[in-house]
Amino acid sequence: MKALVFAAGLGTRLKPLTDSIPKALVSVGGIPMLQRVILKLKASGFTRIVVNTHHFADKVAAFLGQNGNFGVDITISHEDGPEPFETGGGIKFARRCLEDGPFLVHNVDILSDLDIPSFLLACRPEALANLAVTQTDADRCFLFGEDMRLLGWTNVRTGEVRSAVAGFDPSRCRRLAFSGIHQISPAIFPLLEDWPEKFSITDFYIQAAASHPIYGVEVPGLKILDIGSPEKLLEAEEQLKTHKI
């Protein structure tokens, strides 16, 4: 199976670190985030990885080249435009690299203790997508039915709820946080054709859930480090001292 690593982000919340390097090359515990994710995927059995780029793309390519692609077959999906295409647009743009089979998607700024092979074994083969989710106090969560089929999304802090499913009742749903790691069927690509160049995969999932099977795979106790800001980076540095991620 192939994996797509999202490494195109501008990393605006990590400034001034990202004034001179891409977010993907910001180090955590002395190791660039991109390197950590690639090595985790390699250890999980992935031999082909697609890395999408935009901000300081030349530095990402040079880093991979200098390290011999870490012994993995790596393809660059470069988003050449004024802004990166976001998560949904990034998947759509990388179609030529991914459409030959199911693939895993992993955010570059997410570190976790997820056992990826076990997650893949738990994925439903009939699903359009399987999302690794867990119980946390996150503000934004996906909403699932009793069978773990995706029904909607909510922002707990603001009370906003979104769904395209008829008869949707959020009070009867399980509320679980998304890890930023998901397995996707290539059947997604024809459904993305009418979507714009730039969009969030979360927006797509919320709409597609009304007519296509998208499931959550709950991982109890999953530890996730979301390194999206200087504060989160410092927190991650501290957690890495005591947790193996």
Side-chain angles (χ1 to χ4, degrees):
M1 183 182 291
K2 286 185 179 179
L4 168 64
V5 178
F6 285 135
L10 300 177
T12 52
R13 291 185 296 151
L14 279 169
K15 285 179 172 290
L17 292 173
T18 49
D19 287 338
S20 57
I21 61 171
K23 176 173 64 173
L25 298 187
V26 171
S27 291
V28 189
I31 300 174
M33 289 190 280
L34 180 59
Q35 180 176 343
R36 284 187 176 274
V37 172
I38 289 174
L39 292 180
K40 182 178 180 70
L41 292 170
K42 181 180 178 179
S44 299
F46 287 83
T47 58
R48 298 183 297 165
I49 297 174
V50 179
V51 176
N52 81 336
T53 62
H54 179 274
H55 185 53
F56 290 124
D58 56 335
K59 294 190 176 185
V60 174
F63 173 75
L64 293 171
Q66 289 161 7
N67 288 279
N69 287 344
F70 299 97
V72 180
D73 179 3
I74 293 182
T75 301
I76 297 291
S77 177
H78 179 58
E79 299 171 12
D80 187 12
E83 297 179 328
F85 299 155
E86 296 188 15
T87 50
I91 293 169
K92 178 180 178 180
F93 184 74
R95 176 175 183 168
R96 61 184 173 78
C97 306
L98 300 169
E99 62 184 341
D100 58 341
F103 56 95
L104 185 85
V105 175
H106 198 303
N107 289 358
V108 78
D109 57 358
I110 293 292
L111 303 181
S112 78
D113 62 355
L114 179 67
D115 183 328
I116 293 178
S118 294
F119 163 68
L120 293 174
L121 286 173
C123 289
R124 305 192 194 200
E126 75 276 14
L128 185 68
N130 291 277
L131 321 178
V133 294
T134 195
Q135 188 80 47
T136 73
D137 56 359
D139 287 338
R140 290 173 288 185
C141 297
F142 280 122
L143 299 171
F144 298 92
E146 291 182 0
D147 62 350
M148 287 300 291
R149 182 161 175 168
L150 179 66
L151 299 177
W153 174 94
T154 186
N155 185 318
V156 179
R157 182 173 54 82
T158 65
E160 179 186 3
V161 175
R162 296 165 57 195
S163 175
V165 177
F168 169 70
D169 181 356
S171 69
R172 298 174 63 87
C173 292
R174 296 196 63 201
R175 190 173 68 202
L176 297 166
F178 180 38
S179 67
I181 304 169
H182 34 146
Q183 183 252 25
I184 300 177
S185 164
I188 197 172
F189 289 112
L191 304 177
L192 298 179
E193 289 178 358
D194 293 333
W195 283 71
E197 182 177 69
K198 175 183 175 181
F199 65 97
S200 165
I201 195 62
T202 295
D203 292 340
F204 170 80
Y205 283 156
I206 294 167
Q207 292 298 316
S211 53
H212 294 82
I214 299 172
Y215 290 98
V217 176
E218 184 178 6
V219 185
L222 178 65
K223 294 182 178 65
I224 305 169
L225 303 180
D226 180 356
I227 310 159
S229 67
E231 296 76 20
K232 290 292 186 181
L233 180 58
L234 287 174
E235 182 181 332
E237 295 276 4
E238 288 302 312
Q239 289 198 38
L240 282 172
K241 294 176 182 178
T242 55
H243 294 101
K244 185 177 180 181
I245 292 187

